[in-house]
Amino acid sequence: MLLVYIENYSLLTKIIGYLDEAKVRFTTNIKEYHKCHSMLIQTSTSKGINLINMMKNKKIIYLLYDEELKIYKNIKKYNQNSLTYKSKLYNKLNCCSSIITSHIYFKNILKGKYKGKFYIIPYENKEIITKNSLLKLYKIYKLNKKKTIITIIDKDYRLVNFIYDYANKYNNINIVYIGYKQEEYLNKNEQEKLNSMPKNIIKKYCTNQKDFEEIIRLSKVVIFNDNILECFDYLNIIISLNKQLIIKNSDLCDKYFINSKNCYLYNNNEELFKKLEKYLKGDIGNLTYNTSKLIENNNSKEIINFIKKVFN
């Protein structure tokens, strides 16, 4: 029997649903730990560490999902706090026989620091929920269907200067600019440009899945200038809707998003400008089919099959 100890309630509910479907015998009752041959754990609390110590000589699988972003932000830092965090992380993980992670990146960066097995079980894709016709969406968002629509996702408005200049140069396209950062955190120049954008730019604050999907459905190409771990749900929606992707390159893309194979990557504004130039001229191929292959197995059926292989 498997002991499941997950403190995040929504994640616990999801995992229990998978285990039920996979017909894996489990309990969430800590008092029954002595009856269990293995444990699935997700926590950094002292209670969780004590449980790992209690389950010595048994199979312990650590679920990394909730800690992935924290690992990413600390792994390449060398200040005292990050060094302490990494030391505790490696000690904790090496008490476990296996790790489950959502992304190949963590297998790559933890290799050599962790000696057990890695399992990559991705997050399940969100179901597409929008029902409105494209014609209706053009009217709702006051967009011209005869113009190319480019959506730029840029949480912290790091592209504000680039977009301002680009939209002024190409006033025959519509740009939907999605950002979330509070404007008072921008410098004066950025605030001025953000608040005096050309008329062919629509600023949008997408606070829910429905709004985001509707904008993406209208778009010909999507530029993703954000951390793919923080925004994986939105990224997977873009892929599910078969949109051409141009992504800001980072180490998270390594061996997953591959330039000119399943998406287009850029390292700086100059490269982004050239990619957009080629796209508008029709000089780059459509990679949406290759991109869709990245998430085609991110559904409950395939995830349950992964679970069976790990726990049976």
Side-chain angles (χ1 to χ4, degrees):
M1 185 161 66
L2 174 71
L3 172 62
V4 179
Y5 185 73
I6 297 175
E7 293 181 348
N8 181 318
Y9 180 75
S10 60
L11 180 59
L12 173 64
T13 304
K14 178 72 78 174
I15 295 298
I16 283 177
Y18 291 146
L19 293 171
D20 270 334
E21 290 290 330
K23 294 181 169 53
V24 175
R25 289 182 66 240
F26 68 90
T27 180
T28 57
N29 186 350
I30 296 173
K31 293 178 181 178
E32 294 186 339
Y33 80 93
H34 57 282
K35 299 179 183 178
C36 301
H37 57 74
S38 56
M39 175 173 65
L40 174 64
I41 188 166
Q42 172 271 315
T43 182
S44 297
T45 63
S46 57
K47 191 172 184 179
I49 301 301
N50 289 339
L51 266 176
I52 290 175
N53 292 330
M54 287 164 59
M55 294 287 286
K56 277 183 179 176
N57 302 320
K58 297 188 179 183
K59 185 178 181 182
I60 302 171
I61 301 171
Y62 197 91
L63 185 63
L64 213 58
Y65 290 178
D66 269 16
E67 203 163 358
E68 287 176 337
L69 190 58
K70 191 174 181 181
I71 293 171
Y72 177 74
K73 289 180 175 179
N74 280 280
I75 203 72
K76 292 188 175 180
K77 292 180 180 177
Y78 295 94
N79 58 50
Q80 191 55 52
N81 287 340
S82 292
L83 290 171
T84 301
Y85 169 78
K86 285 185 282 188
S87 176
K88 289 180 178 179
L89 173 71
Y90 300 146
N91 288 336
K92 176 177 60 182
L93 295 183
N94 279 303
C95 291
C96 303
S97 51
S98 306
I99 293 174
I100 295 175
T101 179
S102 70
H103 198 287
I104 192 172
Y105 170 80
F106 295 98
K107 182 177 180 179
N108 295 337
I109 62 166
L110 293 174
K111 200 171 183 180
K113 304 292 185 181
Y114 172 70
K115 299 174 182 177
K117 290 183 179 178
F118 283 93
Y119 296 100
I120 298 172
I121 302 180
Y123 297 107
E124 186 176 345
N125 294 334
K126 282 188 173 293
E127 182 181 353
I128 301 299
I129 61 174
T130 52
K131 304 297 181 186
N132 285 327
S133 68
L134 289 179
L135 188 60
K136 187 174 182 179
L137 292 179
Y138 280 115
K139 290 180 180 178
I140 290 172
Y141 293 100
K142 299 177 181 179
L143 290 166
N144 188 339
K145 65 179 181 179
K146 294 181 180 180
K147 289 187 176 182
T148 296
I149 298 171
I150 296 173
T151 292
I152 299 176
I153 300 160
D154 182 29
K155 179 170 64 72
D156 295 326
Y157 294 115
R158 287 169 293 188
L159 289 176
V160 64
N161 291 315
F162 170 85
I163 291 169
Y164 181 86
D165 295 338
Y166 193 85
N168 274 310
K169 183 175 181 179
Y170 295 97
N171 55 17
N172 61 330
I173 61 173
N174 282 325
I175 296 176
V176 181
Y177 191 23
I178 299 176
Y180 311 90
K181 189 175 182 179
Q182 291 178 299
E183 292 180 20
E184 57 262 33
Y185 292 111
L186 302 176
N187 64 43
K188 185 177 180 181
N189 176 56
E190 290 170 335
Q191 286 185 36
E192 287 176 354
K193 287 196 172 179
L194 190 63
N195 293 312
S196 60
M197 287 287 184
K199 291 181 179 179
N200 57 328
I201 290 184
I202 297 172
K203 288 191 297 179
K204 182 69 180 171
Y205 301 90
C206 285
T207 55
N208 60 63
Q209 181 182 342
K210 176 179 172 294
D211 287 352
F212 183 79
E213 282 183 16
E214 289 178 343
I215 290 294
I216 299 304
R217 284 181 62 201
L218 295 173
S219 307
K220 296 293 184 185
V221 63
V222 180
I223 296 165
F224 197 88
N225 197 59
D226 278 330
N227 183 307
I228 65 177
L229 278 180
E230 289 182 289
C231 305
F232 69 89
D233 273 346
Y234 277 1
L235 188 58
N236 284 3
I237 286 170
I238 297 165
I239 297 171
S240 295
L241 290 171
N242 294 311
K243 299 301 175 180
Q244 187 82 281
L245 258 175
I246 302 177
I247 302 176
K248 179 65 180 291
N249 197 12
S250 73
D251 47 1
L252 286 168
C253 296
D254 188 37
K255 298 181 182 177
Y256 187 72
F257 287 114
I258 301 171
N259 189 42
S260 298
K261 182 177 180 181
N262 55 29
C263 72
Y264 293 101
L265 300 176
Y266 65 94
N267 292 295
N268 51 51
N269 289 358
E270 183 181 353
E271 288 186 13
L272 174 57
F273 181 84
K274 289 178 180 178
K275 289 280 196 305
L276 281 174
E277 287 278 279
K278 288 183 177 180
Y279 172 78
L280 293 173
K281 290 177 181 177
D283 290 342
I284 60 176
N286 189 324
L287 299 178
T288 54
Y289 174 77
N290 292 346
T291 316
S292 69
K293 304 298 282 183
L294 292 172
I295 65 167
E296 67 177 354
N297 293 327
N298 297 10
N299 56 70
S300 58
K301 182 180 178 181
E302 291 300 326
I303 290 172
I304 288 164
N305 285 336
F306 286 134
I307 294 284
K308 287 178 180 177
K309 290 176 184 177
V310 175
F311 295 107
N312 288 329

